[in-house]
Amino acid sequence: MMNIKSIFFILFFSFLSSEFFSQISANAGLGTLNGFGVKKTFVGLNLGLEYPRSNQTTIYGRIAYYVPRNQDSTQAYASAISTTTFPYTLQRNYTISTGYLTVEGGNRFYIINGYDNGVSFYGGSTVLLCVNNIKKKFADWDYPYDEAEYQNYGDSKGTILNLGVGLQGGLKYTFPGSGTIFFDFSGNYLVVRKASNDVIYESTNYPFDSALLFTFNLGFRKDFY
């Protein structure tokens, strides 16, 4: 996973590197992630950069981490390797934990007062890279069994790599000489989804069950000249 995260960081910062340092903005905020038709909501933190090509157009990038959430407890069964082992079948409760790391970037177009001044609306296209991590968390044994005598419960970790495209819209207000507060939302359709193993199919009612992801963000932007 460290290799995957490193690639995402490289993509995130190289996205803006071609035209950097005449003016650039850094931002930070809170956000949520939802899958279409899925009840559970993920909450996370995000950091971003934005580069203005003019007062009406910019390019931006943002990386976000969403805190893992647990699914309701369920059960797994393991069979003994030897038919003489007692008990032959063991039952064990476990929960599924899942979380997200996302990298989002694209173009923004500002209307009314533009990027630098006052109140403005903005919108544009987005590209989303997303890592969905899934883990099994097993409960403690009620009795001291020797797990080496039993077949395992399958994979305990899994990953889904996703690539999505979509649209974004938002509203911002710039305080002269201080910074900018903003609120925006994005909708991305996952056109590529690659699972590492079968553990991901054991989880239900999570955003990766939906190919359409929505993110909502509230934050503060600081401009550097």
Side-chain angles (χ1 to χ4, degrees), residues 4-206:
I4 294 172
K5 292 180 180 179
S6 296
I7 291 172
F8 277 13
F9 275 106
I10 292 170
L11 289 172
F12 174 61
F13 287 107
S14 65
F15 178 77
L16 300 173
S17 63
S18 61
E19 300 182 70
F20 246 11
F21 298 110
S22 60
Q23 178 183 347
I24 192 168
S25 299
N27 58 75
L30 301 175
T32 63
L33 181 148
N34 294 83
F36 179 74
V38 179
K39 296 180 180 180
K40 293 184 183 293
T41 298
F42 286 75
V43 178
L45 303 172
N46 60 72
L47 298 172
L49 297 172
E50 190 168 2
Y51 175 81
R53 292 174 172 172
S54 70
N55 196 37
Q56 283 71 45
T57 63
T58 69
I59 56 175
Y60 82 98
R62 176 161 57 201
I63 186 167
Y65 173 76
Y66 297 92
V67 179
R69 292 196 58 179
N70 291 333
Q71 182 179 312
D72 294 339
S73 179
T74 187
Q75 295 176 338
Y77 297 88
S79 300
I81 297 172
S82 171
T83 57
T84 61
T85 301
F86 180 83
Y88 180 72
T89 301
L90 288 180
Q91 173 183 305
R92 195 174 183 184
N93 292 334
Y94 70 94
T95 58
I96 290 283
S97 171
T98 186
Y100 280 86
L101 175 70
T102 66
V103 177
E104 178 184 332
N107 298 304
R108 285 176 175 166
F109 302 91
Y110 286 80
I111 59 173
I112 305 180
N113 291 306
Y115 172 80
D116 278 331
N117 305 304
V119 175
S120 292
F121 292 95
Y122 58 88
S125 59
T126 66
V127 176
L128 180 75
L129 294 171
C130 175
V131 177
N132 183 201
N133 297 310
I134 302 99
K135 295 180 182 180
K136 285 183 181 178
K137 295 183 178 180
F138 286 97
D140 294 334
W141 289 105
D142 294 330
Y143 301 97
Y145 296 114
D146 184 358
E147 291 190 65
E149 297 181 356
Y150 293 85
Q151 299 176 14
N152 63 38
Y153 293 91
D155 296 310
S156 60
K157 297 181 181 180
T159 300
I160 307 174
L161 300 179
N162 306 279
L163 174 64
V165 293
L167 298 173
Q168 182 187 87
L171 173 67
K172 68 88 177 175
Y173 180 77
T174 300
F175 298 92
S178 297
T180 299
I181 57 172
F182 66 87
F183 167 79
D184 59 52
F185 63 92
S186 299
N188 286 278
Y189 183 77
L190 303 180
V191 294
V192 177
R193 308 174 79 188
K194 180 64 176 179
S196 62
N197 53 40
D198 289 340
V199 73
I200 63 102
Y201 301 113
E202 299 185 34
S203 182
T204 59
N205 296 323
Y206 276 93

